[in-house]
């Protein structure tokens, strides 16, 4: 049910259990639909390069929720800035 919910509206991740916020498949579906859903993912997934790339490509402002390590990743920052349109 949660996977279906986040696929239609990534913001639904905010209301998922902590266990589901740690589920890679659910978080990936959420950020693919709504980049800011990365805010609600468990910390470990904020360091998952694939998830983070989907999030910043969907919404460059999701950059603020990344792990420190990935905030220094040139490709990820470039993807975010490209999404901004600058």
């Amino acid at each position: 049910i949660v996977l279906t919910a986040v696929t239609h509206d990534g913001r639904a991740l905010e209301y998922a259990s902590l266990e589901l916020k740690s589920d890679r498949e659910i978080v990936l579906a959420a950020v693919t639909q709504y980049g800011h859903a990365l805010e609600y993912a468990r910390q470990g997934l904020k360091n998952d390069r694939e998830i983070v790339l989907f999030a910043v490509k969907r919404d460059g402002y999701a950059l603020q929720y990344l792990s420190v390590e990935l905030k220094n990743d040139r490709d990820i920052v470039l993807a975010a800035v490209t999404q901004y349109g600058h």
Side-chain angles (χ1 to χ4, degrees):
I1 293 175
V2 174
L3 183 57
T4 301
V6 299
T7 299
H8 292 288
D9 186 349
R11 290 174 287 207
L13 186 62
E14 178 179 4
Y15 306 103
S17 69
L18 291 177
E19 180 181 343
L20 294 175
K21 290 178 182 180
S22 298
D23 184 292
R24 190 175 191 283
E25 180 183 14
I26 289 174
V27 172
L28 186 57
V31 301
T32 299
Q33 198 282 323
Y34 178 66
H36 268 270
L38 188 62
E39 174 182 7
Y40 309 114
R42 298 294 292 180
Q43 193 59 41
L45 294 177
K46 292 179 182 182
N47 199 40
D48 182 305
R49 197 167 195 282
E50 182 183 15
I51 287 175
V52 165
L53 271 171
F54 272 100
V56 299
K57 285 180 179 179
R58 182 72 177 156
D59 185 342
Y61 288 104
L63 191 65
Q64 65 188 312
Y65 305 118
L66 277 56
S67 68
V68 173
E69 179 183 330
L70 291 182
K71 283 182 180 177
N72 291 316
D73 183 302
R74 184 181 187 280
D75 293 332
I76 290 174
V77 172
L78 185 58
V81 171
T82 300
Q83 193 284 326
Y84 290 145
H86 300 297

